[in-house]
Amino acid sequence: MTATTAEFEPSYLRLHRSGELARRAAELDEFLAGCRLCPRDCAVDRRRDEIGFCRSGRRAIVSAHAPHLGEEPPLAGTRGVGNIFFANCTMRCAYCQNHEISQHWRQERRLAVTPGRLAEIMLELQGRGCHSIGLVSPTHFLPQVVEALGLAAEGGLRLPLVYNTNAYDAVEALRRLEGVVDIYLPDLKYADPAAAWEYSRTRDYPQHARAAIQEMHRQVGARPVFADGLLRRGLVVRHLVLPNDQGQSGETLRWIREELGPAVLLSVMSQYYPTHRAHRHALLNRPLDPGEYELVLRLVEELGFEEGWIQTFDSPDSYRPDFSDRRHPFG
Ligand code: SF4
């Protein structure tokens, strides 16, 4: 029998009751000492506020938090995901649509939060009726998030966590999230290391992102759980289609199909527009063309994906297209 949202209990509550959640937080805190939270392995001591590639120190930095209705329909529901937007990033995407948050270093100190404050934010979002807590770009603040989660659970939090990531995550760190995160929402941006370097300064992205997504799939991906039309546990892999096939959509989708199977929840996104430093790259310096998007959607059908969502493509000027579930399931 399918549980209702009221009956669904997020996995971390069991870990909290047993004391395991606190143990995971302590383990992850060790990752900060010579930071290896992401594959860059900067090895700086962030517990002493040393700064690595992501420009982040001891404290988590929260740029904003709010209910968000723009995610896929079974995540957004009617009241939205309670998104917590973390500052800074482990990558440097030239076209980042959140660049004011992810690559604007001066916001750091002013917006740093204690674990207690981060727990309060989670509870505030629950109080506003959100269906889940969305951690947006949390990779470099995982220890702080898990510590705060324990405090929030103590304070009555009972919403599932959505781990919304660029997928440049260290598998060793992700293993500590087993039973903590119920919903993984990774991007898979590139298949080609040269493109990952050119546009995101992350040459080893394809190999690490694929390994990270396989680990997420191992944890939650095999059998998604829905309740009252909302996704409560599972894996949704996002792919943003880039102009001139600079995200290697064919190779990327084939890898997803072969490695994760046809039943994986796939989300194909059309919302690219040239922002931030995209104008420096000739092949990215225009919106997506409807024809090139249609080719990708045709491939999705040919590959036999069974479930997922596509963003509608209203016009090249429509930069915030809605997700359509008219093709859910695909085909
Ligand atoms: S999380 Fe930041 S400091 Fe740590 S390894 Fe990654 S980029 Fe470097």
Side-chain angles (χ1 to χ4, degrees), residues 11-135:
S11 308
Y12 61 78
L13 287 181
R14 188 174 56 79
L15 297 190
H16 176 61
R17 288 193 291 268
S18 70
E20 175 66 11
L21 190 62
R23 201 179 68 76
R24 300 279 184 91
E27 274 185 16
L28 283 166
D29 202 63
E30 291 295 319
F31 279 65
L32 281 178
C35 192
R36 53 194 167 96
L37 282 170
C38 85
R40 289 196 194 274
D41 281 335
C42 295
V44 293
D45 187 352
R46 289 182 50 198
R47 294 202 293 204
R48 297 160 68 95
D49 256 342
E50 290 177 12
I51 302 297
F53 183 89
C54 65
R55 309 273 188 109
S56 305
R58 182 77 185 94
R59 291 269 188 243
I61 304 168
V62 173
S63 289
H65 63 280
H68 187 65
L69 284 156
E71 315 289 19
E72 289 78 352
L75 290 171
T78 54
R79 298 195 301 273
V81 178
N83 271 350
I84 302 174
F85 296 89
F86 291 98
N88 303 343
C89 191
T90 57
M91 298 176 71
R92 295 284 187 275
C93 299
Y95 51 88
C96 180
Q97 295 176 2
N98 286 338
H99 62 93
E100 288 167 343
I101 292 174
S102 65
Q103 299 180 38
H104 179 57
W105 316 121
R106 288 202 190 98
Q107 67 190 319
E108 286 187 6
R109 304 292 165 198
R110 191 169 50 84
L111 300 173
V113 294
T114 62
R117 176 61 192 139
L118 185 50
E120 281 176 10
I121 290 171
M122 294 175 184
L123 290 167
E124 276 173 39
L125 291 164
Q126 178 171 266
R128 292 174 73 175
C130 297
H131 299 299
S132 54
I133 300 296
L135 307 167

Side-chain angles (χ1 to χ4, degrees), residues 93-321:
C93 299
Y95 51 88
C96 180
Q97 295 176 2
N98 286 338
H99 62 93
E100 288 167 343
I101 292 174
S102 65
Q103 299 180 38
H104 179 57
W105 316 121
R106 288 202 190 98
Q107 67 190 319
E108 286 187 6
R109 304 292 165 198
R110 191 169 50 84
L111 300 173
V113 294
T114 62
R117 176 61 192 139
L118 185 50
E120 281 176 10
I121 290 171
M122 294 175 184
L123 290 167
E124 276 173 39
L125 291 164
Q126 178 171 266
R128 292 174 73 175
C130 297
H131 299 299
S132 54
I133 300 296
L135 307 167
V136 183
S137 296
T139 303
H140 45 300
F141 294 127
L142 266 189
Q144 298 90 332
V145 166
V146 176
E147 184 181 353
L149 182 64
L151 300 174
E154 200 60 41
L157 187 73
R158 51 168 300 112
L159 295 180
L161 293 187
V162 180
Y163 188 87
N164 180 342
T165 173
N166 58 27
Y168 193 57
D169 288 271
V171 169
E172 278 303 306
L174 286 178
R175 288 201 179 116
R176 270 68 178 188
L177 296 184
E178 184 160 12
V180 176
V181 168
D182 278 307
I183 302 167
Y184 282 106
L185 185 58
D187 300 328
L188 190 51
K189 295 172 181 292
Y190 309 105
D192 176 12
W197 171 253
E198 175 74 13
Y199 303 131
S200 297
R201 289 292 178 256
T202 312
R203 190 180 300 281
D204 57 2
Y205 176 84
Q207 76 193 68
H208 287 294
R210 289 175 177 189
I213 290 171
Q214 282 172 317
E215 171 61 17
M216 296 171 197
H217 189 252
R218 184 191 70 76
Q219 290 182 23
V220 302
R223 277 182 296 174
V225 175
F226 291 87
D228 297 334
L230 292 170
L231 181 63
R232 300 284 84 184
R233 184 174 294 132
L235 165 72
V236 179
V237 182
R238 283 177 162 174
H239 177 62
L240 174 68
V241 181
L242 296 178
N244 295 299
D245 197 27
Q246 293 306 286
Q248 302 83 48
S249 294
E251 196 177 339
T252 298
L253 293 172
R254 282 189 192 91
W255 181 86
I256 294 171
R257 172 66 180 78
E258 283 165 20
E259 295 298 322
L260 308 181
V264 67
L265 300 176
L266 176 70
S267 178
V268 185
M269 305 176 77
S270 63
Q271 68 183 32
Y272 178 84
Y273 62 94
T275 183
H276 192 35
R277 300 198 181 96
H279 63 278
R280 298 183 185 174
H281 302 275
L283 294 175
L284 288 188
N285 194 22
R286 67 164 171 81
L288 200 60
D289 177 84
E292 61 191 348
Y293 191 54
E294 189 53 41
L295 283 178
V296 173
L297 298 187
R298 249 185 256 158
L299 182 62
V300 167
E301 294 201 11
E302 281 168 25
L303 289 172
F305 285 104
E306 293 167 0
E307 282 199 85
W309 303 272
I310 58 168
Q311 276 185 320
T312 51
F313 195 106
D314 296 331
S315 83
D317 299 323
S318 177
Y319 294 147
R320 291 183 175 275

